[in-house]
Amino acid sequence: MPLPDQPHAPHLLGIEPLPLSRIEAILDRAAQFQRQPPPRTLAGKRLLLLFYEASTRTRTSFEVAARRLGAETVSVTPGSSSIEKGESLLDTVYTLRAMAIDGIVVRHSSSGAPHLVAAHVDVPVINAGDGMHEHPTQALLDAFTIRRHRGTIAGLRVAIIGDVLHSRVARSNLLLLSRLGAEVRLCGPRTLLPPEFAAYGDHVRLSWDLEDALNGADVVMVLRIQMERMKESFFPSEAEYVARYSVTPARMRAARPDAIVMHPGPMIRGVEISAEVADSPQSVIREQVENGVLIRMAVLHELLVCHEPHP
Ligand code: NCD
């Protein structure tokens, strides 16, 4: 039987509906957790990790974050659950809700899946990536990483390169970084960068030319080609993609000498980024992973502690 609909439970479903005050509070909390060891504010709570799509970084990062705050985690993934037997998303959620869950983290290949869950449960729901739509904690950890290196985001030139069309990371980042005052340059082959993307943010600019996008950039964010979301051919061949869009040391010369290089992972070396750039002193790719834990701790603390209903 469906649980009562409680639309007022706090959630993190995307960057789009997130007020600036909540964004700032999450970034500040993550910085605070970095300065001093976080308190075990989630002791006695149980977090459900419901991952319908493959994940290495995001799932383990939520797991580590939850445990560092003292919570217990229950992980459900296809192959180890009735998800494979065809149980519907909501039936799975209702079953697991019966086990006294205090929050749910959802990753799903369908855009909007976490929103559906949120409309049917009375606990906070966090979107850990829904189809081609949003990946809010990734954008928050990226913003946090940029701030650590540059102090601010306003006025920076951020180039986001590659398969923008299929990337929830690109969408959440362009919403967040343009809201925080960055100039966001989206770059990729025409088929992976439709002109409509210009309408996504106030300071968004499209370019099909890599050198133009990298020119004077402060931040270079490289995306993976999301083959799993492509039903048709979007570019002639991998070799052609590499020839025009792979981020190499020679191409990085167009960016500012102190530009930082980011990638959400998983990264395909030799395709969207060369190994030299990925391992260069400018690369903050490993630091993004560390910061992911801090941001997820901040988000869990915000949703499960700050919004706790008072008796
Ligand atoms: C991204 C994702 O799943 O959207 N990965 C991640 O969460 N770190 C990007 C990708 O899969 O390419």
Side-chain angles (χ1 to χ4, degrees), residues 177-206:
L177 299 176
S178 72
R179 186 129 36 108
L180 294 174
E183 175 197 309
V184 181
R185 302 164 172 186
L186 301 175
C187 176
R190 273 172 204 275
T191 45
L192 297 175
L193 184 53
E196 305 86 84
F197 272 76
Y200 255 95
D202 299 338
H203 306 95
V204 180
R205 164 158 107 64
L206 306 196

Side-chain angles (χ1 to χ4, degrees), residues 137-183:
T137 57
Q138 179 70 42
L140 286 163
L141 78 87
D142 290 338
F144 182 78
T145 306
I146 297 171
R147 258 200 193 166
R148 272 183 73 182
H149 284 268
R150 287 287 175 276
T152 178
I153 287 171
L156 294 183
R157 282 160 289 196
V158 181
I160 304 183
I161 295 149
D163 182 0
V164 176
L165 175 66
H166 299 105
S167 173
R168 51 201 178 198
V169 174
R171 209 164 272 100
S172 287
N173 259 307
L174 97 87
L175 290 167
L176 181 59
L177 299 176
S178 72
R179 186 129 36 108
L180 294 174
E183 175 197 309

Side-chain angles (χ1 to χ4, degrees), residues 53-55 57-58 107 128-129 131 134-135 138 141 166-169 223-226 228-229 263-267 296:
E53 262 193 349
S55 173
R57 268 151 290 262
T58 308
R107 169 171 284 196
E134 280 230 43
H135 192 352
Q138 179 70 42
L141 78 87
H166 299 105
S167 173
R168 51 201 178 198
V169 174
L223 305 170
R224 183 177 64 89
I225 300 168
Q226 312 244 322
E228 71 276 24
R229 301 194 206 284
H263 193 304
M267 143 175 94
R296 286 163 184 133

